[in-house]
Amino acid sequence: MSDIWAVVPAAGSGSRMAQSQSKQYLPLYGRSLLDWSVAALLIYRELRSCVVALPEADLSCEQPGFLKDARVRLCAGGASRAESVAAGVAALPAGDEDWVLVHDAARPCLAREELEALIKAVTDSGVGGLLATPVTDTLKRAGKNDRVSATLDRETIWSAQTPQMFRVGELRTALRQAQATGVTVTDEASAMEAAGFPVQLVRGAASNLKVTYGPDMQLAAFWLKELYPQLTDPAGRQT
Ligand code: CTP
Ligand code: MG
């Protein structure tokens, strides 16, 4: 039986949020985005442990909330998301056949149902995969001076989310190859695809948004209230 582990890349600075505090530490209902994102993974009782990749300078700081959980370990992240993920995967005491869930610190609104759907789809089939949603907008390819050069067939286009779940050994190989060949990977799936591994899409939900720009905080607040009414109610909130 393969164990399931997690890595949370949280070593970015959130430059697009344009706030003095790094994005992963911004608070919603008394918890940081990072804390919500880690908590959403720890809901899965069989998770062996979760490595959180933080900016190196933050490792010596006192950690609040779920980062103090016995299943959470910290490591230093890198200069890119892919480097932070690679550092987190390297820090896992996991076997090659084990599974690892990689989940962005910037996605605090992951629901238990979607996490369980991903784990079930991947462990039932043995094929790694990711949560994703089919796009709903009509898609245009931009040409010179923002003139439309084509309309794309949206039937085949999905937006990638996290968590993404792969065999530890295969992900290590894929990340190493991407680094060696200089391929830019913005998620684990693209490293796996480039290395020739099959990747499946598992239908997720729009609520699992990535907080990227300022107004995304309001959307995340809305979805957290929907998903966790008790934890977001000031009267019943636990810290
Ligand atoms: N991340 C990381 N290490 C980096 C860069 C990003 O661990 N060197 C993490 C972020 O902390 C975030 C996730 O990767 O949880 C997704 O990245 P993104 O949303 O782009 O966050 P930032 O890089 O922090 O934001 P920005 O690109 O706006 O600077
Ligand atoms: Mg970034």
Side-chain angles (χ1 to χ4, degrees):
M1 184 61 186
S2 302
D3 285 327
I4 301 178
W5 307 79
V7 167
V8 173
S13 62
S15 54
R16 285 169 288 181
M17 288 296 289
Q19 300 270 326
S20 55
Q21 196 175 26
S22 293
K23 173 169 74 176
Q24 61 274 34
Y25 305 129
L26 292 175
L28 279 177
Y29 304 108
R31 280 187 187 174
S32 67
L33 297 186
L34 170 60
D35 208 32
W36 281 110
S37 302
V38 170
L41 296 172
L42 295 179
I43 279 180
Y44 189 69
R45 296 309 320 166
E46 286 83 43
L47 188 77
R48 283 292 305 274
S49 92
C50 173
V51 172
V52 178
L54 290 178
E56 189 154 21
D58 297 351
L59 286 175
S60 50
C61 303
E62 167 81 6
Q63 301 303 334
F66 281 94
L67 296 200
K68 287 192 296 202
D69 188 283
R71 285 187 290 164
V72 175
R73 299 272 178 280
L74 306 179
C75 79
S80 67
R81 182 183 177 283
E83 283 175 49
S84 297
V85 171
V89 175
L92 288 175
D96 281 353
E97 293 303 306
D98 286 347
W99 295 105
V100 58
L101 290 155
V102 180
H103 183 50
D104 287 333
R107 289 189 192 269
C109 309
L110 171 65
R112 174 198 288 263
E113 292 73 30
E114 274 91 51
L115 174 64
E116 289 178 350
L118 174 67
I119 293 172
K120 183 168 177 1
V122 166
T123 51
D124 282 358
S125 64
V127 175
L130 66 147
L131 288 179
T133 52
V135 298
T136 50
D137 291 331
T138 296
L139 297 173
K140 304 291 182 191
R141 187 187 302 284
K144 241 183 161 184
N145 300 325
D146 285 348
R147 296 288 167 91
V148 173
S149 69
T151 297
L152 306 181
D153 175 14
R154 78 169 170 218
E155 294 306 312
T156 62
I157 312 278
W158 293 52
S159 291
Q161 302 180 340
T162 68
Q164 307 201 349
M165 182 172 175
F166 297 106
R167 294 259 188 218
V168 171
E170 292 178 354
L171 182 58
R172 283 185 176 138
T173 301
L175 291 173
R176 227 182 2 252
Q177 281 184 17
Q179 201 186 17
T181 53
V183 174
T184 305
V185 289
T186 51
D187 69 352
E188 294 58 62
S190 46
M192 294 293 287
E193 293 152 40
F197 294 111
V199 176
Q200 63 170 316
L201 296 163
V202 178
R203 191 179 286 254
S207 46
N208 183 23
L209 73 146
K210 181 159 77 76
V211 174
T212 305
Y213 294 102
D216 296 334
M217 287 294 277
Q218 282 158 278
L219 271 178
F222 170 83
W223 284 117
L224 285 175
K225 219 171 168 45
E226 291 288 306
L227 293 170
Y228 304 106
Q230 282 167 335
L231 295 177
T232 52
D233 175 0
R237 197 190 290 168
Q238 304 151 12
T239 48

